Amino acid sequence: MYRAAGAPAQSASVPVVRSLRRPPPQATGVSFMNNQKQQKPTLSGQRFKTRKRDEKERFDPTQFQDCIIQGLTETGTDLEAVAKFLDASGAKLDYRRYAETLFDILVAGGMLAPGGTLADDMMRTDVCVFAAQEDLETMQAFAQVFNKLIRRYKYLEKGFEDEVKKLLLFLKGFSESERNKLAMLTGVLLANGTLNASILNSLYNENLVKEGVSAAFAVKLFKSWINEKDINAVAASLRKVSMDNRLMELFPANKQSVEHFTKYFTEAGLKELSEYVRNQQTIGARKELQKELQEQMSRGDPFKDIILYVKEEMKKNNIPEPVVIGIVWSSVMSTVEWNKKEELVAEQAIKHLKQYSPLLAAFTTQGQSELTLLLKIQEYCYDNIHFMKAFQKIVVLFYKAEVLSEEPILKWYKDAHVAKGKSVFLEQMKKFVEWLKNAEEESESEAEEGD
C-alpha cells in the first residue's frame, strides 16, 4: 500500500484497537452507604439451650387467675392443702408480678374491680376469706395461710400490705359479713406481725369515717387483735407508727371526744381500749398544760389568770388536782436558771418559791395534793444535788405560806416518803417535825380546856 504525501506514518507493529465497552461508573457516597446497609453483622458462638425446668412460665392476670382458682378448687376447703398448693405454685407462677391478683382471689374469691366488686366475667372460687364462716377460729386459720405464704415468699410482704390498704378503702363495697371477716383477719395478722399497724391509715378515709364504717370495722379488728395479744402490745404497735393519739379520728369531727369514744367502744365490749384512749388523751392534755403554763410564767402573766386557765383545763380534761400540783411545781422550777453554788442556791430557791407560793397554794386544797408536792420536792432536791441542803427550808417556807399543812408533813415524815435521800431529809426535818407535834398537842390541850 502507498500512503499519501504528508500523511504521518503508522507503526505496523502496534495496531490501534477501539473498545466498544463503556467505562465503569465512579463509586458515589450513596452507593457506598447502600452497600454498607446490605452487609449485616452476624453473631457467632456457642448457643446454650435452657432446660425447661429452669424456665418460669409467664401468664397475663386472667390466665394467672384461672390457674390459682383451678388449684384452689381442687384443694377444697382444707386450708393445710391450700397452703401447700400456694407454696408449690410459687415455683412456677409469677407471684411477684401478680401479687394483687393472688391476694384478691384469696380474700374475695376473684379479681376485684375498682370499688371492691367482683368482675362478672371472671372465674370465682369459694375457697377464700369472704366465703368462709364468720368466726374468729376460721379467720385464725386463714391468717396462718397468709403467714406461711409470706414467710415462704418474702417479696410478697409489701404487696400484701398494699392489698390490705386497698381492701380497707373498698369497705363500703363489701357486705357487713365480709367486712367483719376482714376485720377479724386483719386483727390476727396485726397481732402476729404479718401486717404493720400503718395499714390502719386507710380507715381515716373521710367517706368511711362519715358513714360510720371505720368505727364499726375497728371494733371487730381490735377485739381480735386484743384477743391474740393484750392492750399493752396493741398500744406499743400503735405508738411505733405514731397512731396512738389518732384513734378518735375514727369518728367525724363533731364526735371526736373522749366521752363519745369511751361510750362507743365500752358498749361494744372494748373497755380496755376506751381506758387506753382516755389515758392517752390525759397524757397529751398534761403535756399541753405544762407547755402553756411555762409560757404564761415566762410572759409574767398575773397569777389569777394562770389559776383560771389551769382550773378550766382541769375540768375540761378531767385532770385531778394531785396531778396538777406536780405540773405546777415542775413549771415553777423550770422558769429560772439556778446558781451552781450550794451555799447560794438555797437562798435563791426560797426567794423564787416565796414569789410563786400563791400559785402553788391554789392547787393544794386536798391532803393528797400536799403529799404529792412533798414527794415532788424530795425527788427534786435529791436529783439536783445542790438542793440537798435546801429541802427543810423549802418545806418550812411552804408551811408558813399555807401551801402545806401539819398533817401531810407528819404523814410524809412517818411513812409516806420515798427512798431518794431519805436519811438526809428525815434528819433535816427532825426538829421541825418535833415542833409540829408539840404544837399539835398544845392545840389539843387548849381545845380540851375550852370545852
Side-chain angles (χ1 to χ4, degrees), residues 127-393:
V127 185
C128 64
V129 172
F130 283 177
Q133 289 183 335
E134 187 183 330
D135 60 68
L136 184 57
E137 188 177 349
T138 303
M139 293 305 106
Q140 288 169 333
F142 264 101
Q144 284 301 310
V145 172
F146 286 105
N147 197 24
K148 288 176 183 177
L149 177 63
I150 292 166
R151 276 210 314 256
R152 176 69 175 82
Y153 300 103
K154 193 71 175 172
Y155 57 80
L156 287 174
E157 194 172 72
K158 178 67 168 60
F160 185 51
E161 285 199 0
D162 291 341
E163 173 74 10
V164 175
K165 290 176 186 177
K166 180 191 78 174
L167 291 171
L168 296 186
L169 292 174
F170 287 173
L171 286 178
K172 284 174 62 180
F174 305 145
S175 69
E176 184 180 352
S177 176
E178 289 169 345
R179 289 198 292 265
N180 289 342
K181 293 169 192 174
L182 181 60
M184 288 188 281
L185 174 69
T186 305
V188 175
L189 292 169
L190 284 165
N192 64 30
T194 304
L195 286 175
N196 185 285
S198 61
I199 58 103
L200 299 178
N201 273 309
S202 295
L203 290 179
Y204 299 130
N205 175 272
E206 186 179 353
N207 291 326
L208 296 176
V209 170
K210 184 178 179 182
E211 297 191 22
V213 174
S214 293
F217 185 88
V219 167
K220 292 286 185 181
L221 183 149
F222 280 110
K223 275 187 176 180
S224 65
W225 192 355
I226 294 171
N227 180 73
E228 296 290 311
K229 293 287 186 178
D230 58 36
I231 190 62
N232 294 324
V234 171
S237 297
L238 292 172
R239 267 196 307 274
K240 203 174 289 185
V241 294
S242 302
M243 209 166 289
D244 50 326
N245 292 317
R246 293 191 62 195
L247 292 180
M248 280 196 291
E249 294 176 37
L250 293 167
F251 297 99
N254 62 342
K255 294 182 179 178
Q256 288 181 14
S257 67
V258 177
E259 290 72 24
H260 180 77
F261 187 99
T262 301
K263 185 175 184 295
Y264 184 90
F265 280 93
T266 300
E267 289 177 355
L270 283 165
K271 186 179 179 182
E272 57 266 71
L273 183 66
S274 299
E275 290 176 350
Y276 166 72
V277 168
R278 185 180 287 280
N279 290 337
Q280 285 298 110
Q281 190 69 10
T282 302
I283 291 168
R286 291 173 189 176
K287 289 180 179 177
E288 191 61 32
L289 173 60
Q290 183 157 4
K291 180 182 175 184
E292 179 61 26
L293 198 54
Q294 288 172 347
E295 288 178 2
Q296 290 180 1
M297 289 179 184
S298 63
R299 291 196 303 262
D301 290 4
F303 286 163
K304 63 177 183 178
D305 293 344
I306 296 176
I307 291 167
L308 181 63
Y309 164 75
V310 173
K311 288 188 174 180
E312 285 176 353
E313 289 298 305
M314 286 172 65
K315 186 177 180 181
K316 184 172 76 174
N317 295 295
N318 197 28
I319 307 175
E321 189 183 80
V323 173
V324 170
I325 190 60
I327 294 172
V328 174
W329 165 261
S330 299
S331 301
V332 167
M333 298 304 283
S334 65
T335 58
V336 65
E337 187 174 341
W338 297 107
N339 200 303
K340 300 297 181 184
K341 294 183 178 180
E342 189 175 10
E343 61 272 17
L344 298 177
V345 76
E347 183 181 344
Q348 184 187 10
I350 296 302
K351 184 179 179 181
H352 177 70
L353 291 172
K354 188 175 183 179
Q355 177 188 349
Y356 279 94
S357 291
L359 179 61
L360 290 158
F363 302 102
T364 53
T365 63
Q366 303 170 12
Q368 187 59 45
S369 303
E370 294 182 56
L371 194 56
T372 299
L373 179 58
L374 279 163
L375 293 172
K376 291 291 182 183
I377 298 168
Q378 180 185 352
E379 289 172 356
Y380 188 90
C381 290
Y382 179 81
D383 293 337
N384 298 272
I385 194 166
H386 298 305
F387 282 80
M388 287 290 284
K389 293 182 179 179
F391 177 79
Q392 185 263 0
K393 294 177 181 179

